[in-house]
Each structure stands twice: as C-alpha cells, then as structure tokens.
Amino acid sequence: RMLSGYKPKNDITDSYKILELEEGCSLDDVRNSYRNLAKKYHPDSSSGMADSKAFIRVEEAYRVVLSDLTAKQKSEPGEEEEDQFKSKSLQHRHYLSFEGVGIGTPSQREKQYMQFRVDRATEQVLEYRQQRLESRYAGSDLSRAQDVRQSKKVKITQAVERLVEDLIQESMAKGDFDNLSGKGKPLQKFSHSPHIDPMTHNLNRILIDNGYQPEWILLQKEIRETIERLRKSIVASRRKLGEPMTLPEQKQWGRICEQFAEDIRKLNKRVDNFNLVVPILSRQMVHFSSDKEILRARKTYEAVVEKVSDSDRKENGREEGKRFGWKSSLLKWLKL
C-alpha cells in the first residue's frame, strides 16, 4: 500500500470521510484527526468504542490522505521551480567562503582557514617589527642630535637658575632687600593674579568680604574646639569627685569615662570627614584615643591638685608670719 502511487478518486474521498475531514485541509488537521480517531478505536485504548477493524480503516485512510497531500504539494508550480533552482544551484557553495582556502568538508576547511589566518597575522607582525627597527636605526643619528640639544638646554637652564639663586642670596646678605617699599605691611587682600579670570577674582573677593571659609577650615576649627571642651569637662568632672574616691564615686567616674569614650568616637567620625575634604595631605588629622585622653585628664587633675596644695601651704605660711610677726620684731629690738 505504501509503494503504490495510484489511488482512485473514490478511495481518496472515502479516506477523507473516514478521517472526518474535507479535501483541501492542511497536514496538521490530518494528523490531529488521525490521533483523535486512534485514541478512540485502538484496541489497547481504554475507550468504550475500541474496534480493531475500525482502527485498520482509519490507518489506511490516513496513509491515503498523506500520499494525496504529498502529491499535491509536489505538483504546485512555485515549489517545482524552487526545486529546480535547488537542483541546479552549486553543491559546493561553501567553497566561496574562507577566502578559497582549504579542501575537504566545511569543518576541515574552517580549521585550515583559521591556521591560515594565524600564519598571516604572524607574518604581518614580523614585517611590522622589521619596519620599526629599520626606521629606528635610520633615524638614530637624528634622535641622538635632538637628545644632545635637549640636554644642553636643560644644563643651561639649570645653570641660569643657580646663578639667579646665588645673586638673590648675596643681595639678601648685603641687606639690599631691607629698604623695600611696603616692608612690614600686610599683603594686599585681593592682589590681582594674571592666571585667574576677572569673574573668579570678583567671586573670591565677595566671598572673603562676607566671611566665607572653606569647609575643611570650619571642620578643623570645630574639631579643635570640641576636643578642648571634652578635655575641660572631664577634668572638671574629676575635680568634683573626692580624693580618694569612694565606691559610688568610682561607679560615677566609670559612667563619665564611658560617656567620654562615646563622645570621642563621634569626634573621630568628624575627623574622618575632615580627612576626606582637606586638600593638603600634611593637614590630615589622626584619631583621638579615649584611653590616652583619660590618662591625660588624670595627670592634669593631679597637677591642679598639687598646685592648689602648694598655694594653700604658702597662704598658711603667710598667716603664721603675720600672727607671730610682733614677737620676732620684739626679739630683734631686744637684741639691738
């Protein structure tokens, strides 16, 4: 049945009817109809309409319809012309690629072409290096002459600079710069610079007149004021406590130190911000250590206590001298 090429018209019409289709349907419709009917009539299916004879008729009709659709597609003029064009086209069209290099299958020719490209690139690199060396040796005399002239210019410039520096130092030693006009006077606030455009010069003058300061200057001033305030506050807190400290006073001093360490941590964050915006590397600041600051506060407190004790002793001595002054004067009079 598969090899037979001729099917009567009635057989084809009946086959379409068995598949519940109409002539002119698509190949997908034929396949879907055959699949649905096979599920219905196949003996191994669980359908209640399973019938082996009906399934055989459906299968025969499906084959007949497929052969009919295949014959119709081959008989269409557009596809026939396309098949003719394909049959007449070059079977070795891939030989037009790879710049005509290589033989064999496309994959073999591709490998040969990649090796050809590598060899060609190597040759081009060697030629470039050769040309570069030739040009270097050809212009070596010219480059040497240019280097000699450049070195002479550098030596002359350095000699002139040393000579000018020596003359300036000699004039300063003689005192030629002592009687200059404007000596001892402050520099002009807005001296004109030829390297700054007038707009920038005017903007700087307006900002300075209104008390403008850069951000890093303000941050530096704030950090210094804050650390001085914290140092004074912790010394004052220590002076309020007794000497020696009792147990409650020691606990209070511990809380004061914890708060001081927290304030130092916040201050170090400001130091980090300052180091990010300061334009001069040498002006950057290091972090403050809470332990070192507490130790410094203790030493300051001890120094203050010693000074107070010394002043108390002097005052006591003066009072005693005033109290016994008339006795000493009487003894001196008796001696005389």
Side-chain angles (χ1 to χ4, degrees):
R1 285 182 302 214
M2 293 296 295
L3 295 175
S4 61
Y6 173 74
K7 292 294 180 182
K9 183 67 175 176
N10 294 332
D11 193 4
I12 294 174
T13 305
D14 294 338
S15 298
Y16 276 102
K17 289 182 180 180
I18 292 172
L19 293 176
E20 299 177 358
L21 297 172
E22 296 180 357
E23 295 186 8
C25 61
S26 63
L27 185 61
D28 293 334
D29 295 336
V30 174
R31 290 174 179 171
N32 292 331
S33 178
Y34 171 71
R35 190 180 297 108
N36 295 330
L37 293 174
K39 291 179 181 179
K40 185 186 296 184
Y41 296 116
H42 197 278
D44 295 336
S45 64
S46 60
S47 176
M49 301 177 65
D51 188 359
S52 60
K53 294 181 179 180
F55 176 71
I56 291 172
R57 288 196 299 271
V58 169
E59 186 178 4
E60 291 177 353
Y62 175 65
R63 292 175 180 175
V64 171
V65 171
L66 282 181
S67 61
D68 180 57
L69 290 176
T70 304
K72 286 181 180 179
Q73 289 178 357
K74 288 183 178 180
S75 62
E76 291 180 1
E79 294 186 359
E80 185 176 359
E81 292 177 359
E82 186 177 357
D83 293 339
Q84 291 178 0
F85 176 74
K86 288 181 180 179
S87 61
K88 291 180 181 180
S89 62
L90 293 174
Q91 298 298 321
H92 302 284
R93 186 178 297 173
H94 56 271
Y95 280 101
L96 299 177
S97 60
F98 306 127
E99 301 181 13
V101 176
I103 58 175
T105 61
S107 60
Q108 294 175 351
R109 295 188 64 249
E110 184 178 4
K111 293 180 181 178
Q112 296 173 13
Y113 176 64
M114 295 299 295
Q115 185 63 36
F116 168 75
R117 290 184 62 186
V118 171
D119 297 338
R120 183 172 60 185
T122 306
E123 292 177 359
Q124 291 177 356
V125 170
L126 293 175
E127 290 178 359
Y128 170 75
R129 290 180 177 177
Q130 184 178 359
Q131 293 175 0
R132 188 175 179 182
L133 290 174
E134 291 177 356
S135 62
R136 181 181 298 177
Y137 285 114
S140 60
D141 297 335
L142 180 62
S143 62
R144 288 176 184 173
Q146 291 178 355
D147 293 340
V148 170
R149 287 196 296 268
Q150 188 68 24
S151 62
K152 287 183 178 179
K153 289 181 180 179
V154 171
K155 290 180 180 179
I156 292 171
T157 304
Q158 293 178 352
V160 171
E161 289 179 354
R162 287 197 298 270
L163 178 60
V164 171
E165 185 67 24
D166 293 340
L167 292 174
I168 292 173
Q169 294 294 334
E170 185 179 356
S171 299
M172 291 176 64
K174 290 180 180 179
D176 295 338
F177 297 151
D178 294 340
N179 298 323
L180 294 177
S181 60
K183 180 184 177 182
K185 298 180 181 180
L187 296 175
Q188 295 182 4
K189 186 184 294 184
F190 303 108
S191 58
H192 180 68
S193 175
H195 305 289
I196 301 177
D197 59 294
M199 180 62 70
T200 305
H201 177 74
N202 293 331
L203 287 175
N204 292 336
R205 180 175 56 81
I206 293 170
L207 291 173
I208 294 174
D209 286 341
N210 289 274
Y212 171 77
Q213 291 180 347
E215 183 182 2
W216 66 276
I217 294 291
L218 298 176
L219 281 174
Q220 187 181 29
K221 183 178 180 181
E222 182 182 356
I223 290 170
R224 289 177 178 175
E225 292 177 353
T226 304
I227 190 64
E228 290 297 329
R229 178 176 54 82
L230 291 176
R231 288 170 179 172
K232 290 180 180 179
S233 64
I234 193 170
V235 173
S237 300
R238 179 64 185 88
R239 291 184 64 182
K240 292 179 181 178
L241 302 176
E243 181 63 30
M245 292 186 293
T246 60
L247 184 61
E249 289 176 346
Q250 290 179 359
K251 293 181 179 179
Q252 184 179 358
W253 174 248
R255 290 192 295 268
I256 293 172
C257 292
E258 291 178 359
Q259 183 62 35
F260 181 78
E262 180 66 20
D263 295 336
I264 291 294
R265 186 182 63 81
K266 294 179 181 179
L267 183 61
N268 288 332
K269 289 185 178 180
R270 295 183 188 177
V271 172
D272 293 336
N273 297 333
F274 169 78
N275 292 335
L276 290 175
V277 298
V278 63
I280 306 173
L281 187 62
S282 60
R283 291 295 185 92
Q284 289 190 346
M285 304 176 67
V286 296
H287 284 185
F288 295 98
S289 174
S290 58
D291 297 335
K292 291 182 180 179
E293 293 296 333
I294 292 172
L295 181 61
R296 178 177 179 176
R298 289 179 180 174
K299 291 182 179 179
T300 305
Y301 168 74
E302 291 175 358
V304 171
V305 170
E306 289 180 359
K307 185 183 291 186
V308 170
S309 61
D310 292 339
S311 61
D312 292 341
R313 290 170 187 170
K314 290 180 180 179
E315 289 180 358
N316 294 332
R318 290 174 184 174
E319 290 179 357
E320 290 179 356
K322 291 179 181 180
R323 184 181 305 171
F324 300 102
W326 63 273
K327 293 182 179 180
S328 60
S329 60
L330 179 61
L331 292 174
K332 288 180 180 179
W333 181 76
L334 291 174
K335 289 179 181 180
L336 292 174

